[in-house]
Amino acid sequence: MKWKEALNEMNPYKPGRSIEEVKDLYSLKEVVKLASNENPYGCASSVMEFLTSSSMPFQIYPDGHATNLRSELSEKHGVDEGSILFGNGSDEIISIISRALLDNQTHTIMPAPTFPQYAHNAKIEGADFTEIPLSDGGHDLDAFLSAINERTSVIWICNPNNPTGNLIPSDELKRFLSKVPENILVVLDEAYFEYVTDPNNIDSIRLVDDYPNILVLRTFSKAYGLASFRLGYAVGSPTVVTELNKVRNPFNNNSLALAMASVALKDDEFIEECRRKNEIQRGRYKDFASENKIHIFDSQTNFVLMEVPCDADEATEFLLQKGYIVRSGNALGTPNYVRITIGTEEQNTGVFHALDLLLKEKGR
């Protein structure tokens, strides 16, 4: 087989352990998964009602234009329908962007550590890439600007950033965008936008008219609680979206996902309630870290990146044995930290108890 040479140095994605696997491994009756930043409150009740009452002609292809959802998102965000691109989750949109703009003659820039799919896709396309180390968990935008060269095609900004959760102040972001050459696409990946509570944060979609070289990514996988249906979207200038649509596969979103997203989009009350509960629980993690004198990054998401008193894999294994699946920082580029999805009040109380045991056992 004549595989791309880049694949020689790459490994397939390795998912974490499932709930059932952990139950069997440690003989546990209850296991809480807090490793993938899913919504612990599920999805809106209106979505569940729709799922149990609707019927679809399974023999018919999905609406390749996503007509209804496109219209509803257009109205919600106040943008032209031609400004919206749909993907099988944000992951596919990242792949579409990379396929359309990156090759072995181009260069791309991203923070480190961050969402790994940016670098993953750059490697597949053979593009040269520069990783800009985070500064105290946040983007060093001046360093991004300094890294731009004549071959730079795409800049990736994860905001808030995964895995640290830090948010770029809006004035800093606008100042950065004003300095980026217009022929470079700036991708603002905002998977956790709905969880942001900073009153000074602005909706980046409002910036598209002023900066037509940006593309804002959003998803139904996080706050909307529809991760298993894989539906993300991007908003940008119609010119950019038209070019990206040339790469997008037809019928890339299934009919049920499109219909359920349409129902979920209407339930603003559910999203507001999830945001409120998440903010309260996020504060509990900050208090726990402060009380125990351990470092925690300033998150504006539904997860926290918290210091542990030992190797991150060791801490993750300890918490697994207590029935809590979290993400080891060793796999994220943040040794001695674990990333924990913010659960319900009851789930988080259990996590704090397990962390107390971990701190005591490791002499802290």
Side-chain angles (χ1 to χ4, degrees):
M1 298 292 181
K2 298 179 181 180
W3 304 111
K4 286 186 174 182
E5 289 186 12
L7 301 186
N8 293 333
E9 299 179 1
M10 300 176 67
N11 296 309
Y13 174 75
K14 184 179 179 181
R17 289 172 175 168
S18 68
I19 291 176
E20 291 306 316
E21 183 182 0
V22 174
K23 282 183 178 180
D24 292 341
L25 187 62
Y26 297 111
S27 301
L28 297 170
K29 292 184 178 180
E30 295 294 331
V31 171
V32 179
K33 185 187 175 195
L34 298 173
S36 300
N37 307 336
E38 297 141 335
N39 188 337
Y41 307 105
C43 61
S45 58
S46 55
V47 174
M48 296 302 298
E49 291 169 6
F50 173 83
L51 185 61
T52 57
S53 63
S54 66
S55 61
M56 292 184 176
F58 296 149
Q59 75 279 13
I60 303 298
Y61 280 105
D63 175 5
H65 188 63
T67 305
N68 290 337
L69 184 58
R70 180 180 299 276
S71 175
E72 291 161 354
L73 282 169
S74 170
E75 181 177 354
K76 179 180 180 66
H77 294 303
V79 298
D80 184 90
E81 290 189 9
S83 298
I84 304 171
L85 172 74
F86 290 96
N88 192 247
S90 296
D91 289 31
E92 189 194 21
I93 299 177
I94 293 168
S95 297
I96 289 171
I97 295 166
S98 301
R99 189 177 181 189
L101 286 165
L102 298 180
D103 58 26
N104 60 7
Q105 301 299 313
T106 62
H107 169 249
T108 182
I109 305 169
M110 64 203 67
T114 192
F115 188 51
Q117 289 303 303
Y118 312 145
H120 179 82
N121 280 277
K123 292 175 184 177
I124 291 174
E125 302 302 333
D128 181 26
F129 63 94
T130 299
E131 295 180 303
I132 306 297
L134 297 177
S135 176
D136 197 23
H139 292 67
D140 184 348
L141 296 180
D142 288 335
F144 271 73
L145 293 172
S146 296
I148 293 173
N149 62 41
E150 69 280 357
R151 296 185 298 112
T152 304
S153 183
V154 181
I155 295 175
W156 306 92
I157 300 290
C158 188
N159 192 38
N161 185 54
N162 178 10
T164 56
N166 292 56
L167 180 72
I168 301 173
S170 296
D171 57 344
E172 291 184 19
L173 179 61
K174 287 189 287 187
R175 188 161 52 247
F176 167 75
L177 293 174
S178 69
K179 296 179 180 180
V180 176
E182 295 180 357
N183 64 339
I184 297 174
L185 181 68
V186 180
V187 180
L188 302 177
D189 187 351
E190 300 184 345
Y192 301 95
F193 173 80
E194 287 81 10
Y195 287 110
V196 175
T197 56
D198 185 335
N200 296 316
N201 189 54
I202 63 171
D203 184 347
S204 297
I205 292 176
R206 305 274 70 79
L207 301 177
V208 172
D209 288 341
D210 294 330
Y211 306 100
N213 62 324
I214 70 171
L215 189 71
V216 182
L217 274 54
R218 300 280 173 86
T219 184
F220 284 92
S221 296
K222 302 304 180 184
Y224 285 96
L226 300 180
S228 65
F229 291 95
R230 312 306 300 123
L231 202 156
Y233 66 98
V235 179
S237 75
T239 301
V240 169
V241 170
T242 295
E243 293 302 306
L244 294 175
N245 261 319
K246 295 177 182 179
V247 179
R248 180 183 64 86
N249 289 323
F251 312 119
N252 61 327
N253 294 115
N254 69 75
S255 298
L256 187 56
L258 291 171
M260 293 183 68
S262 181
V263 175
L265 190 66
K266 298 178 179 68
D267 204 329
D268 292 332
E269 185 176 339
F270 173 76
I271 296 298
E272 179 57 38
E273 182 68 5
C274 289
R275 180 165 46 239
R276 184 187 67 80
K277 289 179 178 178
N278 183 76
E279 183 179 26
I280 292 171
Q281 297 304 313
R282 192 164 61 203
R284 293 181 69 198
Y285 276 92
K286 292 179 181 178
D287 291 343
F288 179 89
S290 176
E291 291 166 4
N292 288 279
K293 296 180 173 57
I294 56 178
H295 182 251
I296 188 172
F297 287 91
D298 186 18
S299 175
Q300 279 286 308
T301 65
N302 70 330
F303 62 83
V304 294
L305 188 64
M306 179 181 289
E307 183 186 13
V308 287
C310 56
D311 177 78
D313 287 347
E314 184 181 353
T316 300
E317 182 67 21
F318 182 93
L319 293 173
L320 272 179
Q321 295 176 19
K322 305 303 179 185
Y324 297 95
I325 306 174
V326 303
R327 195 82 160 96
S328 169
N330 288 349
L332 302 172
T334 55
N336 300 116
Y337 285 80
V338 294
R339 192 189 67 191
I340 307 173
T341 303
I342 299 169
T344 63
E345 180 178 4
E346 180 180 3
Q347 290 170 346
N348 296 326
T349 297
V351 172
F352 297 144
H353 177 66
L355 287 171
D356 277 332
L357 295 176
L358 175 65
L359 293 170
K360 289 178 182 177
E361 183 167 312
K362 300 306 173 181
R364 203 168 168 179

